[in-house]
Structures are given as C-alpha cells and as structure tokens.
Amino acid sequence: MTAEVQDETTSEWQQLIQGEWHGRPCLFDAEGNHVGYERVDRASVVEDGVARYWMNTQLEARGPLKNRFELGAQFDFGIVDSDENRVYCGPDFYGTGQPYGQFVDAHYYSPGWQADLRTWNQVLPDGDTQVYSSVLHDGWAVCAVFNGVYKRTFDHHTNPETQAYVDEWIATETRRGPTPQVLPTKEPGAWTGTMFVHDTTQAQIGETQVRIEHDPIDLRRARHHVTWDGVLSRDYTFERYRDGARLQYDGPEVFGNATAYGRALFTSQHIVGPDARGVEKIRGREVLIDSASRELAVVWQLLSGDTTTHFVHGLLTWEPR
C-alpha cells in the first residue's frame, strides 16, 4: 500500500486517484431493493502518455438486472485526462466527468449496459477511501443504482499483506453495503465537519463548517436543524419522515423527498426559508458509511432555480448528545 511518486504532467484528479481501488458495491433496483453485488478492482492509468480506465468486475445478482448487467468482459475505455472536462472516449463508456477537488461529477453512457449513468466519486480526507455511486437511467427514469466504498492499494498483485487487507475490506463491505440508511431513532446528536466549497468554474472558493442537529421525534420521524458557517452560510430546519426506502421533507423551511439505496440517500430538497435567497435547491447524496461510527459522507449540489451554483462536499462525524 506504499504510495507511488506522483506524475506532475497528469491532472490533479489523476494524481489523486492513482493506484488500484477495491470495493464490492451493492446493486439496487429502482425502488431501493438490494438485488446483488459487484466485486470491482479498478484503476485509471497513464501509459506512454495515454490515459485509460479499466475495471475488472464480477457480478453477483438476481432478477432481470443480472441479465442486463452481466457482460462477461472487463470494462476498458480511453480518457482525455483533464481537470476541466475528463472525457470518456469509449468503447465501453462515452461522456464526461468534472472534478471539484476531491469529488468528481460524471455523466456518461454505457453501450453494454444500455444505460445512462450519473456517477459521483468522493475521495475522503484520508486519501485512501473513495465513496462511489452510479445512478443508472433509461431516459429520465432510474433503472438501477450501484453504490459502495472503495479502498486504495499500490501493491495488491505482489504483497500478501495487502491482499489480506483487501479481502478483509471486501468482507466488511459485504456486511455494510445492503444495510438501509436508518439514522438514530431514539438518540439525539449532531453531525459536524468541514465541507469544501467549489463554484461552477470548479475552483475551490473556501470551506464551510456544517452542523446537522438530529432530534428524533418517533421511530420514523426526526427534526433536523442545519447550519453552514464559512464561505457559504445557511440556517434551516425541517422534519424528515422515513417510509421504507423513501423519505419526505415536510418543512417548515425544506420540502422535498429522497430515496435510500442501502446506506446511500439521494435527496432533492427545496429550501424556502428566509436564508434561501429566493428558492434554493439541494440535489444531494448522503452516505452513512458505517452504522456503528455513523460517519456521513456528504455531497450537495446547490442550485439557484435549476442552475448549479456550488458543489459542497466533505465528511461529517457524529456527536451524541
């Protein structure tokens, strides 16, 4: 797992994700039901000045999605390596990804899966953990979701200790991955942490301290008071109601809904309070990495109307109260 020397001729994102990444993302159907796993080893590499991405996958699933996503081959596609537009040139994926510091927002198409993908990859502050999700669409309709957490290595093929580390991680992810995102139902507390803020030019314009006060009302409803303090400041309160994999935001200052695919919650929030500067929206992904530690990996796409203004991302830690 020893780090390699960075190649300064490649993009910052390429340097950030060097090495091999290992995970076992879960597969969910459109309604949020867990239907399988995909064992993945992947890397984005530069060889002789040419960038390419490969993914060795092993699908274990059931139902119609198994037939759709079983390809019998390793994914492989060329990349235009850039921190502005990271272009996927086929043959297995076509599209682009835009890096925002330690987060990349990618939108591309898979001819093999016959699906349009919105993929979010977030590298956590330790540099060796990556939170991944792909929401797959038929047109505008969600047909499936993959999500999981990856770990990085540099000597997996030659080091037995690294191989044992990866095996242990895959076993851990196998247990964690299908677990529904259920926040504490009888324990108040707060998630706090530093979030990175990027504008639409993809530049980091600063940081904001985020605090999410969590107060359970009953086994399915909780009240959240959220504050941002820094380069962006916000203050809003809402009640959230969980109904299976679906979630409702019932005001007074946020309305919207969300769907959980295991521990990953995909949100659509409309902020209507006095601090919203009109009507702001958040399209977000909130991943409860482990129900024991309760770390929350957050990515929020902030919009004014339907125009993106910022990406806000970071890792929040739990404080019981």
Side-chain angles (χ1 to χ4, degrees):
M1 291 181 288
T2 303
E4 293 181 346
V5 177
Q6 292 184 344
D7 180 359
E8 298 299 334
T9 65
T10 60
S11 68
E12 292 183 11
W13 177 256
Q14 182 68 39
Q15 295 172 38
L16 187 65
I17 62 170
Q18 66 176 338
E20 283 191 29
W21 296 85
H22 310 270
R24 198 164 190 244
C26 286
L27 172 63
F28 300 87
D29 66 16
E31 287 73 40
N33 301 301
H34 177 243
V35 297
Y37 297 92
E38 188 165 42
R39 173 72 174 89
V40 181
D41 301 299
R42 57 175 167 81
S44 177
V45 297
V46 178
E47 298 171 344
D48 299 324
V50 177
R52 57 182 281 267
Y53 204 113
W54 61 261
M55 292 188 292
N56 182 22
T57 64
Q58 301 171 31
L59 181 66
E60 300 174 25
R62 60 186 182 274
L65 293 179
K66 178 176 179 60
N67 291 330
R68 178 168 182 173
F69 298 143
E70 184 68 75
L71 296 181
Q74 175 175 293
F75 284 114
D76 204 321
F77 54 100
I79 301 171
V80 176
D81 178 31
S82 168
D83 281 317
E84 182 179 0
N85 288 299
R86 191 171 172 83
V87 183
Y88 310 133
C89 304
D92 294 334
F93 291 104
Y94 294 93
T96 61
Q98 287 74 43
Y100 296 84
Q102 292 178 252
F103 161 73
V104 69
D105 173 24
H107 185 190
Y108 49 95
Y109 184 77
S110 165
W113 284 347
Q114 296 180 300
D116 197 66
L117 291 84
R118 182 80 182 270
T119 295
W120 282 7
N121 277 325
Q122 177 188 11
V123 178
L124 298 187
D126 66 6
D128 291 320
T129 306
Q130 191 175 134
V131 181
Y132 152 85
S133 68
S134 283
V135 182
L136 284 70
H137 297 84
D138 291 327
W140 285 27
V142 173
C143 63
V145 174
F146 283 103
N147 67 68
V149 183
Y150 287 73
K151 287 292 188 180
R152 175 166 63 169
T153 71
F154 293 95
D155 57 359
H156 179 252
H157 295 291
T158 59
N159 189 334
E161 291 185 3
T162 302
Q163 293 165 6
Y165 166 79
V166 170
D167 289 345
E168 182 179 353
W169 176 251
I170 296 304
T172 298
E173 278 294 281
T174 300
R175 294 191 303 271
R176 290 178 178 174
T179 304
Q181 196 202 85
V182 179
L183 303 185
T185 56
K186 293 188 177 181
E187 182 182 357
W191 283 274
T192 63
T194 300
M195 304 277 278
F196 303 107
V197 181
H198 292 255
D199 64 16
T200 54
T201 71
Q202 299 167 252
Q204 183 176 332
I205 62 171
E207 299 176 348
T208 192
Q209 302 299 312
V210 169
R211 183 175 183 87
I212 304 174
E213 294 281 353
H214 172 74
D215 289 292
I217 298 171
D218 56 36
L219 294 178
R220 291 197 292 175
R221 187 180 294 273
R223 187 174 182 86
H224 279 190
H225 180 210
V226 184
T227 55
W228 306 11
D229 184 16
V231 66
L232 293 179
S233 297
R234 301 289 186 271
D235 189 322
Y236 51 90
T237 301
F238 58 87
E239 288 190 7
R240 45 178 281 157
Y241 176 75
R242 181 175 58 86
D243 182 11
R246 300 194 64 220
L247 193 83
Q248 304 293 324
Y249 301 103
D250 290 336
E253 294 170 327
V254 173
F255 291 88
N257 57 19
T259 302
Y261 297 90
R263 57 190 160 167
L265 185 72
F266 294 81
T267 72
S268 178
Q269 301 179 342
H270 299 255
I271 306 174
V272 300
D275 204 34
R277 293 150 177 82
V279 176
E280 284 188 332
K281 302 173 184 176
I282 292 175
R283 182 181 294 120
R285 185 192 71 187
E286 301 170 0
V287 179
L288 193 65
I289 294 177
D290 177 13
S291 57
S293 69
R294 296 176 179 166
E295 288 184 314
L296 198 65
V298 174
V299 177
W300 289 329
Q301 181 183 3
L302 186 63
L303 303 101
S304 177
D306 275 337
T307 301
T308 299
T309 59
H310 303 87
F311 276 97
V312 183
H313 56 93
L315 182 66
L316 305 181
T317 57
W318 172 255
E319 299 175 354
R321 187 170 72 243

